[in-house]
Amino acid sequence: MLANAGVERGLIGPREVDRLWARHILNCAVVAQLIADGETVVDIGSGAGLPGIAIAIAKPSLRVTLVEPLLRRSTFLDEVVEALELDVKVVRGRAEEKSVRKVVGDSDVATSRAVAPLDRLGKWCTPLLRPGGRLLAVKGSSAADEIATHQGTLNRIGLARLRVEVCGTGLLPTPTTVVSGARVGGRR
């Protein structure tokens, strides 16, 4: 679906098709290693379903909600969820909207990939997490630098215990780098 409809609808570039499995799908699926069975996951800015759909397939026991503001992308996500018969909810909207926060509730985990710098992402995700809930943001080689740059802002909004984690070692040619942080404190 990504190689065909995903390219046709502009969700991934045509040059990415040859690298679809290792760079995109498996790169996202290994994030499921960091999530316990049965946890609730909200994927912010789901786009083409990465990492949310890949995580839902890798670990079917999770309760996954995809949040995507653009109609063409959320329509694609609905079609993928239906075609693959996944127990995944698609919500059209932005993470910072009250209506989205109401639908999503307090999640155990918020995921994202290539959505925004860590400070903005933290502001959007933290209110969607239960106290103790975790942000898992797929980032590149500059993950540690991004933590250092945004640590103060993230701590002020209640996101702490920030660290870089690596997933897929031994499975992928290039393991996946994830910034992990936990929500501290009560309701905002």
Side-chain angles (χ1 to χ4, degrees):
M1 292 181 84
L2 278 174
N4 297 310
V7 172
E8 291 165 10
R9 296 181 190 183
L11 301 175
I12 64 163
R15 293 185 182 150
E16 295 300 311
V17 172
D18 290 341
R19 306 184 301 182
L20 195 57
W21 281 100
R23 183 177 169 140
H24 298 287
I25 298 169
L26 296 176
N27 173 268
C28 290
V30 295
V31 175
Q33 296 173 341
L34 301 175
I35 306 170
D37 286 336
E39 286 193 300
T40 57
V41 178
V42 58
D43 184 42
I44 304 304
S46 296
L50 302 169
I53 294 215
I55 290 171
I57 292 169
K59 196 169 272 194
S61 69
L62 301 175
R63 292 166 291 157
V64 177
T65 300
L66 309 175
V67 176
E68 172 55 50
L70 297 180
L71 177 61
R72 69 182 170 89
R73 292 178 180 169
S74 61
T75 300
F76 176 79
L77 294 170
D78 281 327
E79 292 169 3
V80 170
V81 165
E82 183 178 336
L84 298 178
E85 299 178 351
L86 298 173
D87 186 17
V88 170
K89 184 190 309 184
V90 177
V91 175
R92 183 168 173 236
R94 297 185 181 281
E96 62 271 27
E97 295 172 356
K98 287 183 182 181
S99 60
V100 170
R101 290 180 182 172
K102 188 174 183 177
V103 170
V104 171
D106 291 338
S107 298
D108 297 309
V109 177
T111 61
S112 72
R113 179 179 188 245
V115 172
L118 202 50
D119 59 338
R120 268 192 286 158
L121 186 63
K123 288 176 186 175
W124 297 335
C125 292
T126 303
L128 299 173
L129 293 170
R130 66 167 173 76
R134 295 166 294 127
L135 170 65
L136 299 176
V138 178
K139 295 286 187 176
S141 59
S142 63
D145 293 336
E146 202 167 345
I147 289 173
T149 299
H150 301 293
Q151 179 107 34
T153 300
L154 295 167
N155 288 163
R156 278 190 299 281
I157 62 171
L159 201 58
R161 299 193 295 274
L162 297 159
R163 66 180 184 266
V164 175
E165 300 198 45
V166 178
C167 309
T169 303
L171 298 172
L172 300 174
T174 304
T176 303
T177 303
V178 176
V179 171
S180 173
R183 179 173 177 192
V184 294
R187 282 261 135 301
R188 296 173 52 84

